[in-house]
Amino acid sequence: MKIAFVGKGGSGKTTLSSLFIRHLAANEAPVVAVDADINQHLGTALGLGDEEAAELPAMGAHLPLIKEYLRGSNPRIASADTMIKTTPPGRGSRLLRITEDNPVYEACARTLLLDGEPVRLMATGPFTEADLGVACYHSKVGAVELCLNHLVDGPDEYVVVDMTAGSDSFASGMFTRFDVTFLVAEPTRKGVSVYRQYKEYARDFGITLKVIGNKVQGLEDIEFLQDEVGEDLLVTVGHSDWVRAMEKGRPAAFELLEASNRLALQALQDAADDSYAHRDWGRYTEQMVRFHLKNAESWGNAKTGVDLADQIDPDFVLREDAAAVEAILSPRPQPHRPAPQPA
């Protein structure tokens, strides 16, 4: 399952995503963790020192390699230079799988041991001083979006993405790439404001949205969240001595995390697992194509000098097939493309 953690800055989004990753690893599940936040803190939340976290390879720096590998022998893509963040796979494209070894993981991922269990960690890379005034951070997460477009994951396999804070996640089509989105909200008016934005933006895209109430101190906080987000409230989390020790760089064994918080994490995993039954690969592929056409018409065609709509394989639907090198083909209607308007 592909899982996103979102929320306003300071809500505890990265802390909770790191706890969920540790929980999955403790259950011996295959996990790829991705830090796609403008503030790169997932590595340190998973136990890396500051210097180790700073040395994580930046996915954006390896974008040419990622494009060339994913392009494979796809005849609709003349060169890796014509690929953009939304380029969809087609016949001949290489697909990524959670547990395999490939050049993308070799260049961009590092394996961490969390209480002896391996987790692959990838990071977009920080927003640097050289980027100020000349680059948008969302250009850095393009490598993540491209990888998600080419990812074939199955049951009991997990990709967990710590997204950028606030509603900035909607600056690209990446928000449609997930089976479930966990929104971390504090029991305050500001805490639930991002929820309202996310709920409104996601309404037309079939997004499964669940709220984690964080920093909850009592029944009044729970009732506030229930009034504000209703049935979208999945679990609430309060103070944790284990988390406090982790934030000081001195975490105990994960099995010593408070029982109430371990139950909350299991509820997150159950919700993610339940979402698998509702996976719609056809809709997933159609949304991929929709955002590719939108980006092509907005800026991609002008940047690459080609009509990027030609990259779309009209008979291709990304599907799960662990034994196949390519995705299964299935006919589907071609997406609607508005007719060009006269000047």
Side-chain angles (χ1 to χ4, degrees):
M1 277 64 68
K2 306 178 190 74
I3 300 154
F5 277 78
V6 300
K8 80 173 185 66
S11 63
K13 169 180 62 66
T14 298
T15 297
L16 282 168
S17 63
S18 72
L19 290 177
F20 185 60
I21 291 163
R22 289 177 184 271
H23 169 81
L24 294 174
N27 288 343
E28 300 183 353
V31 183
V32 173
V34 182
D35 192 344
D37 195 353
I38 189 170
N39 298 305
Q40 302 268 283
H41 295 313
L42 184 58
T44 54
L46 290 173
L48 292 181
D50 290 339
E51 290 186 4
E52 292 176 305
E55 291 173 355
L56 287 171
M59 294 179 70
H62 294 282
L63 192 54
L65 178 150
I66 293 171
K67 290 180 177 180
E68 189 60 49
Y69 179 76
L70 297 179
R71 181 172 74 97
S73 60
N74 187 334
R76 293 178 174 271
I77 304 175
S79 71
D81 291 338
T82 64
M83 294 178 72
I84 63 173
K85 63 181 182 177
T86 54
T87 296
R91 282 168 288 191
S93 296
R94 289 193 181 100
L95 305 177
L96 301 175
R97 288 167 178 79
I98 302 298
T99 57
E100 70 178 2
D101 294 319
N102 59 54
V104 174
Y105 291 152
E106 183 179 349
C108 302
R110 293 294 178 266
T111 299
L112 310 184
L113 290 179
L114 302 179
D115 287 340
E117 298 298 331
V119 167
R120 274 180 169 145
L121 173 62
M122 305 173 75
T124 60
F127 198 64
T128 65
E129 185 175 347
D131 296 317
L132 295 176
V134 296
C136 170
Y137 180 71
H138 301 290
S139 65
K140 290 184 174 292
V141 301
V144 181
E145 187 170 355
L146 192 60
C147 286
L148 291 177
N149 279 356
H150 290 74
L151 180 70
V152 180
D153 55 314
D156 303 318
E157 297 178 333
Y158 302 87
V159 176
V160 181
V161 182
D162 183 21
M163 298 280 279
T164 192
S167 57
D168 286 352
S169 301
F170 288 94
S172 74
M174 197 162 74
F175 73 95
T176 66
R177 304 295 84 198
F178 301 102
D179 295 291
V180 61
T181 296
F182 293 132
L183 187 144
V184 181
E186 299 170 79
T188 64
R189 291 174 62 187
K190 287 185 178 180
V192 299
S193 62
V194 173
Y195 162 78
R196 295 196 186 95
Q197 289 178 306
Y198 223 106
K199 186 76 170 178
E200 181 64 28
Y201 292 152
R203 190 178 308 278
D204 298 328
F205 295 94
I207 306 298
T208 299
L209 182 65
K210 298 295 182 182
V211 175
I212 306 170
N214 194 27
K215 305 179 184 179
V216 170
Q217 296 184 8
L219 182 60
E220 184 177 345
D221 285 345
I222 296 174
E223 290 176 344
F224 173 82
L225 289 169
Q226 288 173 333
D227 290 341
E228 294 294 328
V229 308
E231 62 183 12
D232 287 336
L233 182 63
L234 180 62
V235 294
T236 60
V237 179
H239 173 77
S240 169
D241 290 333
W242 192 96
V243 170
R244 180 61 63 87
M246 178 195 73
E247 291 174 340
K248 293 176 180 177
R250 295 178 288 181
F254 186 68
E255 63 185 13
L256 298 178
L257 180 71
E258 297 86 357
S260 60
N261 290 329
R262 297 206 66 164
L263 287 173
L265 294 173
Q266 185 59 53
L268 300 187
Q269 184 177 1
D270 291 343
D273 291 346
D274 289 345
S275 73
Y276 181 77
H278 306 289
R279 174 175 286 188
D280 185 341
W281 285 106
R283 183 181 68 186
Y284 187 82
T285 304
E286 189 170 335
Q287 289 176 340
M288 191 188 310
V289 168
R290 173 179 176 179
F291 280 99
H292 183 59
L293 289 174
K294 186 175 182 180
N295 280 268
E297 294 166 1
S298 176
W299 60 271
N301 290 344
K303 180 177 181 179
T304 61
V306 299
D307 185 355
L308 296 177
D310 292 338
Q311 295 179 342
I312 298 168
D313 188 336
D315 295 326
F316 184 91
V317 173
L318 186 69
R319 292 188 185 278
E320 178 194 340
D321 186 345
V325 175
E326 295 181 349
I328 300 171
L329 296 181
S330 176
R332 62 178 174 83
Q334 292 198 34
H336 170 71
R337 293 182 62 195
Q341 299 297 313

